[in-house]
Amino acid sequence: MKRVLILGGTGDATQLAAKASSLSEVEIISSLAGRTSNPVSPTGNVRIGGFGGQTGLTDYIKEMNINILIDATHPFAAQISFNAANAAESTNIPRLMLIRPTWEKQPKDIWIEVDSVESAAATLQNYAKRVFLTVGKQQLPAFAKLSDIWFIMRLIELPESSTAVPQGIFLCDRGPFSLDNEREILQKYNIDTIVSKNSGGDATIAKIIAAREFGLPVVMVNRPPTPLGERVSNVDEAFIWLLNKLDNN
Ligand code: NAP
């Protein structure tokens, strides 16, 4: 029996857990950070909450006799990915990063590319008045002081009442989002700018296509650096990598 730890919190991680759970002689454990109160629960065993840094993750791998680590976290979840790289190295187990490709700018796109949400907020001050903000609840405080701008903030769930948020309204929803849905939001709320992370993947790309259609600018936050190591860009490739590792370990 081999134990595989999947660091999750993404649709890709959930799909991989479902696929890998069909394998015999393999036990899948999915790990979620616990950011949302009602997460999509992956197939197989699930644990929730931080490990306690790199040392905590290393201890967990040892205590649970984890044989293989797959980091299928969101491309913007940089801390856990570096912790995973260091923990896998120190416990000498194979590690894979499942990281979907970035969205690439198309000829009609108007992208203002920035390297952080703080830069995105600073950029908005120059011209935006009505913004569709899709960066997640943890990033809202960066926009809280922009008192001349109105925001529609799309989130999986509402932030804590103590979180500093900008003026505007919340829209609680979970992807995938259709193109019609995104067109309607842009029109109904008279949006002049979108703020997005370059998350990649199909589930949330419709807002980028809608912005292209309407000629609207997108303040696009570029991804943070990721650790070195083996990587694949989709669930099928991750599954094949896993099969190879199971054969060879
Ligand atoms: P992060 O900044 O890289 O991680 C911060 C801390 O959260 C980590 O040090 C770890 O705590 C804990 N953590 C993160 N992912 C974890 C996981 N899968 N299992 C257990 N602990 C985890 O991560 P983040 O940006 O806050 O993202 C948190 C989760 O939300 C991730 O699972 C990610 O896949 C998902 N997510 C993130 C985004 C995004 O835009 N950042 C978007 C969609 C989904 P300890 O140090 O205590 O171990």
Side-chain angles (χ1 to χ4, degrees):
M1 174 67 76
K2 291 275 163 43
R3 265 200 190 140
V4 179
L5 177 62
I6 299 178
L7 300 174
T10 60
D12 284 348
T14 308
Q15 283 177 34
L16 181 62
K19 216 166 166 168
S21 293
S22 65
L23 297 169
S24 55
E25 304 296 309
V26 176
E27 184 184 342
I28 302 294
I29 304 175
S30 293
S31 175
L32 305 177
R35 296 282 185 272
T36 54
S37 56
N38 188 19
V40 176
S41 192
T43 315
N45 301 309
V46 180
R47 67 162 299 288
I48 297 180
F51 295 95
Q54 180 192 320
T55 315
L57 180 53
T58 305
D59 291 345
Y60 181 85
I61 289 170
K62 287 180 189 161
E63 280 160 23
M64 296 297 291
N65 294 314
I66 302 294
N67 304 102
I68 294 172
L69 179 59
I70 299 183
D71 172 8
T73 55
H74 190 270
F76 279 80
Q79 183 62 57
I80 189 72
S81 291
F82 279 97
N83 290 354
N86 292 328
E89 192 179 345
S90 65
T91 51
N92 200 25
I93 62 167
R95 171 185 59 97
L96 177 73
M97 276 177 286
L98 166 51
I99 184 159
R100 54 201 184 212
T102 53
W103 294 320
E104 297 300 327
K105 188 167 179 271
Q106 304 296 308
K108 288 191 175 162
D109 284 331
I110 307 165
W111 285 11
I112 300 138
E113 294 184 59
V114 295
D115 287 331
S116 67
V117 286
E118 290 75 19
S119 300
T123 301
L124 281 181
Q125 296 190 86
N126 299 334
Y127 57 90
K129 289 286 171 221
R130 297 182 65 82
V131 172
F132 183 23
L133 186 60
T134 64
V135 293
K137 67 175 178 176
Q138 286 174 262
Q139 313 295 345
L140 294 178
F143 300 87
K145 290 198 177 134
L146 300 178
S147 51
D148 292 339
I149 302 176
W150 182 89
F151 290 85
I152 176 163
M153 297 160 260
R154 184 163 64 197
L155 312 158
I156 290 176
E157 64 187 20
L158 292 175
E160 313 276 304
S161 56
S162 57
T163 305
V165 300
Q167 60 161 331
I169 59 169
F170 296 115
L171 178 62
C172 291
D173 206 354
R174 198 190 285 267
F177 302 108
S178 71
L179 187 51
D180 280 347
N181 185 74
E182 307 302 62
R183 285 179 183 136
E184 192 186 334
I185 290 172
L186 298 183
Q187 287 180 314
K188 182 174 174 189
Y189 296 102
N190 202 15
I191 296 302
D192 60 31
T193 309
I194 295 177
V195 181
S196 173
K197 293 174 174 171
N198 194 332
S199 299
D202 295 336
T204 58
I205 196 174
K207 65 191 169 193
I208 308 301
I209 299 170
R212 186 182 304 146
E213 287 180 357
F214 293 154
L216 293 182
V218 177
V219 178
M220 185 66 83
V221 184
N222 291 323
R223 292 180 179 186
T226 48
L228 297 174
E230 285 186 87
R231 63 187 62 210
V232 294
S233 58
N234 61 55
V235 172
D236 289 342
E237 288 171 1
F239 187 65
I240 291 167
W241 179 92
L242 177 59
L243 291 178
N244 285 334
K245 287 293 164 203
L246 292 168
D247 278 350
N248 298 331
N249 277 274

